[in-house]
Amino acid sequence: MPRSTFSGSVTSPKVDIIVDLGNPFLNLTVDGFLKIGTVAATKVAAEEAYSIVKRGSVSHHNFEHSLKKMCKEGAYWGTVAGVYVGMEYGFERIRGTRDWKNAMLGGALTGALISAACNNGRDKIVTDAIAGGAVATAAEFLNYLT
Amino acid sequence: MPRSTFSGSVTSPKVDIIVDLGNPFLNLTVDGFLKIGTVAATKVAAEEAYSIVKRGSVSHHNFEHSLKKMCKEGAYWGTVAGVYVGMEYGFERIRGTRDWKNAMLGGALTGALISAACNNGRDKIVTDAIAGGAVATAAEFLNYLT
């Protein structure tokens, strides 16, 4: 297995595109979108690279499909991250404190919004809000631990 | 909808159980297990509370099922978090630096380990490792943003 190619491609990307829109809320959202979108695109690229390595052949069709998938997953993860970062920042401003409750509320609202945008029913929206809040809280806690 | 009961139960839990095993690696792992396990158990509790509110009735059977689900999900999330926190700490010690690459490597190894423990095939293990690394990297980036 050509592992060296793998790790080489993973350490190279430097994410430092800075877009200033003159508003901290918008800046954070766009920054979250770009950074997390890049992570998701890299994830898909790694998956596709593994599937190519496994099969041992590269066809034109597959490459185009991979690119499309990278864009789709990148945009999806980026949107979720952008909404979440914006929400957390908003809650921080509204509540005036920085703690895990901002993450929980931001995660819950993001889960509900994304779920509502995907045309889900009321029950699914509530479940997604709970799951979003839990995942955001867990990430925040892990953060304090390490 | 009795929303007040909902938010009341969410703000109350205080997670400050401290277990000292005399070893930073073990301490982190146990801490991660307990904290994230609690978050997952709270998530299931919130979900079950919503389903009870929706149906409007509480039966004995359902309560027992909820408790079992809380334990199961709590243990699963807790294990993943414990393994991840331990791995990230390990990579920090080995590499001697603190950056997002620790999170990526820790997430990838955690994904592979949990996947292997669930008796998945080789392809699924690699995919889970890639997904774990991506999720951990995304969480780490979000962290720097907020």
Side-chain angles (χ1 to χ4, degrees), chain B residues 84 88 91 99-108 132-133 136-137 140:
Chain B
Y84 169 71
E88 207 196 337
F91 277 114
D99 58 9
W100 62 270
K101 280 164 211 157
N102 290 338
M104 193 193 66
L105 293 168
T137 313
E140 191 75 13

Side-chain angles (χ1 to χ4, degrees), chain A residues 25-34 36-37 74-92 102-117 132 136, chain B residues 142 145-146:
Chain A
F25 182 84
L26 279 176
N27 279 350
L28 270 176
T29 306
V30 171
D31 212 29
F33 179 85
L34 289 174
I36 308 302
Y76 179 73
W77 282 44
T79 308
V80 173
V83 171
Y84 169 71
V85 168
M87 289 292 162
E88 206 195 339
Y89 179 78
F91 277 115
E92 198 185 309
N102 290 339
M104 191 192 69
L105 292 169
L109 210 57
T110 307
L113 268 178
I114 300 284
S115 189
Chain B
L142 274 182
L145 282 174
T146 53

